């Protein structure tokens, strides 16, 4: 592999923005939601005089705030909820609105650069309630959470058809009416100031927001080295796998097996680490697949199968927005390709060795891991399956042999990585 892993330089914001976009691929109704919230929240924070490094936490929190909402049904209900207080009949959504907030903060809090964002996400649905919202269940609510709360409400209010500049005054009025009751007065005042220019509203509804956000709020940009990227990918892995209890540790298994396969096949330890990162991220495109399909008990219909089949394409598209991530992207997104060009979605002619390793690690993990509805295959059965795939020209015989010759070791590696 001609990977210069030692020279790897990835920007943290690029990773955050790409993941944020990935979270919104789930449904056209929510397209852009996370970045919209991030943008509005950052504008408010800037107006309130936050320092550049504090704005960075606001950006991260906005970009990932609903990461704990696993299903498309929940995501759509959240839009509804955010509008709920503006409904004439005043009806409330019967659901613990804080559950996804708590889950989201749990998922991301162990990555140190995200710890502040995590505590804001935890409380992003706490209403101000004339000051009672300073605390929630005895815990102080961070200011960033109050900012997110307002940003989330405002983000869903613009109607798709119609000129945003015609709607702006009405939205500003609605926020004014609910200040104190729903919104913290200082945050609401900053919002009124930040949202006075027309450009604010045009930015809010502009579809390609990455550049706007980075240009304006990217001053405190952090670069990730290989180890930091590894930690970040491991954290994203949790969000990816969390959406499906059937495969709750699948990407951990693929990552660990791929790294050790790389070592057996002569990759340097840094390049093997890239394989591990690619393993964590290979199914990131599944964020675009409704969890109702991922978790369907029983067989998928033809149409549902075609939805699942899109995921490696989305893995590729999501990762390709990050400069510097090209090699990892190639490793990650070709995992359903076959050497005989009968795989998908690219039917690639060239499949680099590293990508073949991820493909074998994926297959091995998938067939040997236990799932709620079936036991994993034993050694003999998994040998049969892999041998047949080599014969069919689907997977690389050398990679499969490396795994089979050290089967017990790989089985241990997989088991350990998938322990919960
Ligand atoms: Fe939310
Ligand atoms: Fe939201
Ligand atoms: Fe996959």
């Amino acid at each position: 592999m001609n990977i210069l892993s030692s020279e790897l330089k990835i920007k943290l914001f690029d990773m955050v923005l790409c993941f944020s976009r990935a979270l919104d691929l789930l449904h056209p109704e929510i397209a852009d939601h996370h970045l919209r919230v991030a943008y509005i929240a950052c504008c408010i924070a800037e107006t309130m005089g936050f320092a550049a490094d504090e704005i960075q936490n606001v950006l991260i929190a906005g970009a990932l705030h609903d990461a704990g909402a696993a299903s498309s049904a929940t995501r759509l209900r959240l839009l509804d909820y955010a509008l709920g207080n503006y409904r004439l009949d005043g009806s409330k959504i019967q659901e613990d609105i804080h559950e996804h907030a708590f889950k989201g903060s749990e998922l991301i809090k162990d990555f140190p650069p995200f710890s502040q964002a995590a505590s804001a996400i935890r409380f992003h649905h706490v209403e101000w309630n004339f000051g009672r919202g300073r605390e929630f269940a005895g815990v102080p609510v961070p200011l960033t959470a109050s900012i997110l709360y307002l940003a989330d409400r405002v983000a869903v209010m613009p109607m798709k058809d119609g000129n945003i500049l015609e709607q702006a005054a009405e939205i500003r009025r609605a926020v004014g009416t609910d200040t104190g009751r729903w919104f913290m007065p200082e945050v609401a005042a900053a919002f009124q100031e930040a949202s006075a220019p027309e450009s604010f509203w045009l930015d809010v509804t502009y579809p390609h927001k990455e550049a706007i956000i980075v240009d304006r709020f990217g001053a405190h940009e952090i670069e990730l080295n290989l180890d930091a990227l590894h930690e970040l990918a491991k954290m994203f892995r949790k969000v990816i796998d969390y959406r499906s209890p059937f495969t709750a540790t699948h990407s951990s298994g693929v990552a660990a097996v791929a790294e050790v396969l790389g070592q057996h096949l002569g990759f340097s330890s840094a390049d093997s680490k890239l394989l591990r990162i690619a393993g964590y991220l290979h199914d990131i495109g599944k964020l675009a697949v409704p969890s109702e399909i991922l978790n369907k008990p029983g067989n998928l219909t033809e149409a549902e199968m075609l939805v699942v089949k899109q995921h490696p394409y989305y893995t590729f598209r999501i990762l390709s927005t990050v400069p510097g991530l090209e090699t990892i992207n190639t490793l990650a997104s070709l995992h359903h390709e076959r050497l005989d060009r009968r795989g998908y979605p690219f039917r690639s002619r060239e499949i680099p060795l590293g990508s073949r390793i991820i493909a074998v690690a994926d297959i091995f993990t998938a067939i040997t891991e236990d799932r709620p509805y079936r036991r994993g295959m034993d050694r003999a059965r998994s040998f049969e399956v892999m041998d047949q795939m080599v014969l069919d020209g689907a997977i690389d015989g050398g990679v499969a042999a490396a795994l089979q010759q050290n089967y017990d070791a790989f089985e241990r590696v997989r088991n350990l990585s998938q322990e919960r």
Side-chain angles (χ1 to χ4, degrees), residues 33 37 65-66 152:
H33 176 70
V37 170
H65 70 277
D66 282 335
D152 192 40

Side-chain angles (χ1 to χ4, degrees), residues 11-17 19-20 23 34-35 37-39 41-42 52-67 104 108-109 111-121 144 148 213 217 220-222 224 232 235-236:
K11 291 189 165 164
L12 174 65
F13 282 176
D14 287 336
M15 289 298 288
V16 169
L17 296 176
F19 200 73
S20 186
L23 292 170
H34 276 97
L35 290 186
V37 170
Y39 175 78
C42 285
D53 60 329
E54 296 169 331
I55 291 181
Q56 171 195 303
N57 293 324
V58 176
L59 196 165
I60 294 167
L64 305 176
H65 70 277
D66 282 335
I108 73 161
K109 74 175 196 304
F111 181 59
F114 286 6
S115 62
Q116 298 245 14
S119 52
I121 288 174
T144 302
L148 280 185
I213 290 176
F217 305 112
H220 196 79
E221 176 66 294
I222 290 182
L224 303 169
L232 177 64
M235 194 281 287
F236 283 167

